[in-house]
Structure formats: structure tokens, C-alpha cells
Amino acid sequence: MSDQRVMIVDDEPPARDRLARLVDGLAGTSVCASIAEAETVVDACRSHQPDVVLLDVEMPGIDGIDLARRLRRLSPPPAVVFVTAFEQYAVDAFELAAVDYLVKPVRAERLARALERARNRPLGPGVTLRSRLGERVLAIPVSEIRALIAEDKYTVVHFDQGEALVDDSLVTLEQRFGRHFIRVHRKALVARRYLRGLYRDADGQERVELDGCNCRPPVSRRNLTLVRQALDDKPETELPE
């Protein structure tokens, strides 16, 4: 799985530097951008495609609350974690569906919990992949996708209503939605939330089972440990919505 990409937004250089050190000290995370000017954040998100934005609330110009509203309109929208010295904004933060709200000075273990929460955040129904069949365009909610399988020049999308083709490569899709999918094979990504089990077929090939899908993608040897870990990490009570 690729690193969780974190963007830091704070107008104070010492605060940005401290958060960057904390993020870099956590396994599986990396800073993709560190930004001081709130006005540039939306364009920077389009360029850097962060998974998470660590967002200061009180900044010159656009404040963090208004900026979070703008970030929600991106596709896909990054997870937002507010980082501020002021607790009075917590209600506004959670009304905006912020993943977490951290009070400065941020402790490493508290940041780690917030980033893990962001990693497990489900995608909203508004985030879609577009499949074109002749003149017909189908918008497939990413939250309903079970598997993405590379075939020739296309990627086959297995979702709850069947199958469709998209032009996007697996590499591109993994970069955009890596926190929601796990690579099980060089030609296959599967949705973490629908991952149900692992078995060996009659030919000795390891395969994954997915909730709500007859597709059984193969698992390569190099990805077998990662799949087992993902299954071990799933809560026993988790069910697809």
C-alpha cells in the first residue's frame, strides 16, 4: 500500500515544521505539501492529491472552516483534520464532517490516531468513476466498487450492480483511492471494506473473497502478507453498508 499523503496547512512556519516532523516519524505516512497561504490550498490539493489535510483554523484571509467547505467539493475530497490552539471551533469542525480535531501542541500518538481514522474513512456517495458506453455515461460510486481488474487497455470495475469499463489505469486509480483499496495482484485492486476472506483454489492459487461480488481476484505471493494483515485488521462486526 502506498503511503498516506498528508498536506499541512498553517500560516506559522514553526507549527508546519513541527507537524512535518511528527508526520515523517509515523510509519506509512508522508508529507506531500506544506502550505502557508489558505488561498492556494484548493489548487494545491488538485495538484498533490493528498489523502489528508491537517488544517489550521485561524489563518489570515480564508479561515480553516470556510476552507474545509471548499475542500468538500473536490473529487475525491481529502479527509480534513483540524489542528488549532482553540477548542471553541470543535462543533463547526464536526458539522463539516472533519475526521478529527487536534489541539496544539499536538502529541505524536494523538496525531497517529487521527491519521488512522482518516485512513479508514469511507468514501461518500458523491465520489464516482465515469464509464462510457457509446453515448451513455455511467457514474459509479467508488464506495460501491468491490474490485478493479486490469484487462488489455481498460480496467474492469466490479460493483454492486455489475461490471463496467473505465479508461483509468490501476496505477492512477491506486494513486487516487489508495486508502480505500488494497493491491492484491499486479492486475487487481480490491476494496478494503468488502474484503471478506482468503482461500486457495484447486490449482493452488490464493484468491480473495469479497462481500457482494462473485469476482475472486488472485493474490500474488508478494501481496499475500499485506492481504492477511488487512483481514486481521478488520473489525469483526464490520459489514458493508
Side-chain angles (χ1 to χ4, degrees):
M1 180 184 61
S2 57
D3 277 359
Q4 185 181 39
R5 296 166 57 79
V6 180
M7 177 181 288
I8 298 170
V9 181
D10 197 305
D11 62 302
E12 298 179 355
R16 294 198 307 274
D17 292 344
R18 184 173 187 277
L19 279 175
R21 289 194 300 271
L22 291 177
V23 171
D24 288 339
L26 298 174
T29 64
S30 62
V31 177
C32 65
S34 182
I35 297 177
E37 299 81 17
E39 291 81 2
T40 68
V41 170
V42 173
D43 285 340
C45 282
R46 293 191 179 105
S47 299
H48 294 281
Q49 292 287 311
D51 298 310
V52 188
V53 175
L54 300 180
L55 181 58
D56 188 23
V57 174
E58 291 205 336
M59 293 182 294
I62 306 171
D63 67 20
I65 300 296
D66 185 40
L67 183 54
R69 293 191 179 97
R70 301 185 188 191
L71 295 179
R72 290 179 66 184
R73 295 195 286 268
L74 293 175
S75 181
V80 171
V81 175
F82 284 103
V83 184
T84 179
F86 305 97
E87 296 186 5
Q88 65 264 31
Y89 297 105
V91 173
D92 290 333
F94 287 109
E95 285 180 352
L96 286 167
V99 169
D100 212 333
Y101 185 94
L102 306 180
V103 178
K104 298 177 181 178
V106 177
R107 293 176 290 112
E109 59 271 22
R110 185 67 181 84
L111 176 62
R113 291 204 303 271
L115 293 179
E116 184 62 23
R117 186 175 295 174
R119 192 186 297 275
N120 295 324
R121 177 190 65 140
L123 277 167
V127 183
T128 62
L129 284 184
R130 293 189 178 274
S131 173
R132 182 178 293 275
L133 182 61
E135 296 299 317
R136 181 178 175 227
V137 176
L138 177 66
I140 307 169
V142 175
S143 60
E144 296 178 4
I145 295 173
R146 270 61 171 177
L148 298 161
I149 311 295
E151 286 190 13
D152 298 325
K153 298 179 181 180
Y154 301 96
T155 297
V156 181
V157 181
H158 295 263
F159 64 114
D160 64 352
Q161 296 182 35
E163 300 178 12
L165 299 179
V166 295
D167 294 327
D168 307 79
S169 69
L170 279 190
V171 172
T172 299
L173 294 170
E174 187 174 30
Q175 289 173 346
R176 291 182 64 193
F177 306 113
R179 67 177 177 269
H180 301 286
F181 292 91
I182 180 172
R183 184 174 284 274
V184 298
H185 190 274
R186 64 184 179 85
K187 291 188 174 183
L189 300 173
V190 301
R192 291 175 176 275
R193 70 187 304 222
Y194 295 110
L195 188 60
R196 182 172 64 188
L198 179 69
Y199 74 99
R200 183 174 297 173
D201 66 19
D203 296 322
Q205 171 66 60
E206 299 282 357
R207 295 182 179 274
V208 290
E209 293 182 287
L210 302 168
D211 282 314
C213 181
N214 292 325
C215 178
R216 299 288 188 265
V219 180
S220 62
R221 289 185 178 180
R222 64 180 299 179
N223 296 104
L224 188 56
T225 299
L226 187 62
V227 173
R228 286 172 174 160
Q229 182 179 345
L231 285 166
D232 288 341
D233 291 343
K234 284 176 69 71
E236 292 184 5
T237 57
E238 182 178 347
L239 292 172
E241 296 176 358

